[in-house]
Amino acid sequence: NPNQQYSFNNNGGNEILSSFALGTYTATITIDPDNLVDETDETNNVWTGTFEVIEPPTGTVDLAFSSNLLMPQPSSGNYLLGYSDFYIDGNVKNSGEGIANNVYVNINVVRPDGVVIYDGSGTWTTARTLTPNETTYFHDNGNGDIPSNYPLGTYTATVTIDPDNLVDETDETNNVWTGTFEVISLAP
C-alpha cells in the first residue's frame, strides 16, 4: 500500500555469546534483497550499523530493591474479604560494578493465622542477569485472591531477592522487603 510503514524489531533475540571475539561487528538490514519490487529509488534499501563487543565488567555485585508496591485489586484502597486480590510489584537493581547472574525473586504471602497463601516468583519464570546499574521489574497479581473463607486481619507479604543465596553480594542485608495489609469485612 502506498505510504504504509512497517517496523522491524529484533527485540534482543541475538545473544552475544562468550565465544564471540572481541572487536567491532557490523549489522546490515536490507529491504527487498532480491530486488523483486520495482522502486523509484533503489539506493535507500540498506541500513548498516556497528557495535563493539568488549570484555564483560568485573567487580562486586549488590542487588537491592529500588521500589516496591503492595495494593488491593481492584484498587479501592481496602482489602475486602471475598472481593479483593493483592497486587505486588517492584524493581530490583544491581548497584555494583559486576554482572549478577542467576537472579531470582521470591514472593511469599502469609495470612494472620500463619498459613502461606502464596509462595512463588511472580512473573519471573527464569533467572535474570543484571549488568552494572541495571534495573529489572517484577510483579504478581495472578494468585492474589483473598476468598471469603480466609480470616480477617493483618497479612504479611515478603519479597526476597536471591532467596537461595546464589549471587555473591557486597551487602546481603538489603535483599528482603516486607509489607503488610489489613483484610477487612465488607459487612458493617
Side-chain angles (χ1 to χ4, degrees):
N1 292 337
N3 298 318
Q4 188 170 359
Q5 295 183 11
Y6 295 93
S7 62
F8 169 81
N9 183 353
N10 187 16
N11 202 20
N14 296 315
E15 181 180 353
I16 298 175
L17 304 173
S18 61
S19 60
F20 278 36
L22 301 179
T24 302
Y25 286 76
T26 302
T28 302
I29 300 172
T30 304
I31 301 170
D32 189 25
D34 297 326
N35 202 23
L36 299 176
V37 178
D38 187 26
E39 301 176 64
T40 58
D41 184 358
E42 297 280 351
T43 65
N44 61 357
N45 289 357
V46 177
W47 174 89
T48 301
T50 61
F51 61 93
E52 189 79 18
V53 175
I54 61 172
E55 289 283 346
T58 58
T60 61
V61 170
D62 184 27
L63 302 173
F65 294 103
S66 60
S67 67
N68 289 325
L69 174 68
L70 174 60
M71 64 184 267
Q73 294 290 320
S75 55
S76 65
N78 294 311
Y79 294 90
L80 302 173
L81 188 66
Y83 296 96
S84 296
D85 298 338
F86 59 83
Y87 175 82
I88 299 172
D89 77 9
N91 292 296
V92 175
K93 181 178 181 179
N94 174 11
S95 60
E97 300 90 31
I99 296 175
N101 292 304
N102 298 312
V103 178
Y104 279 96
V105 171
N106 186 73
I107 302 169
N108 183 279
V109 180
V110 181
R111 299 185 332 192
D113 59 2
V115 173
V116 175
I117 60 171
Y118 184 77
D119 187 16
S121 58
T123 54
W124 287 18
T125 55
T126 60
R128 306 275 172 105
T129 296
L130 295 177
T131 58
N133 293 310
E134 183 178 2
T135 300
T136 189
Y137 173 75
F138 68 87
H139 78 275
D140 188 88
N141 63 344
N143 296 329
D145 296 337
I146 305 172
S148 58
N149 63 340
Y150 279 19
L152 299 174
T154 303
Y155 287 60
T156 303
T158 304
V159 182
T160 305
I161 304 169
D162 189 28
D164 298 324
N165 204 26
L166 299 175
V167 180
D168 186 27
E169 300 178 63
T170 57
D171 184 356
E172 298 280 355
T173 66
N174 58 358
N175 289 6
V176 178
W177 175 85
T178 301
T180 61
F181 58 97
E182 191 76 22
V183 174
I184 61 173
S185 173
L186 190 58

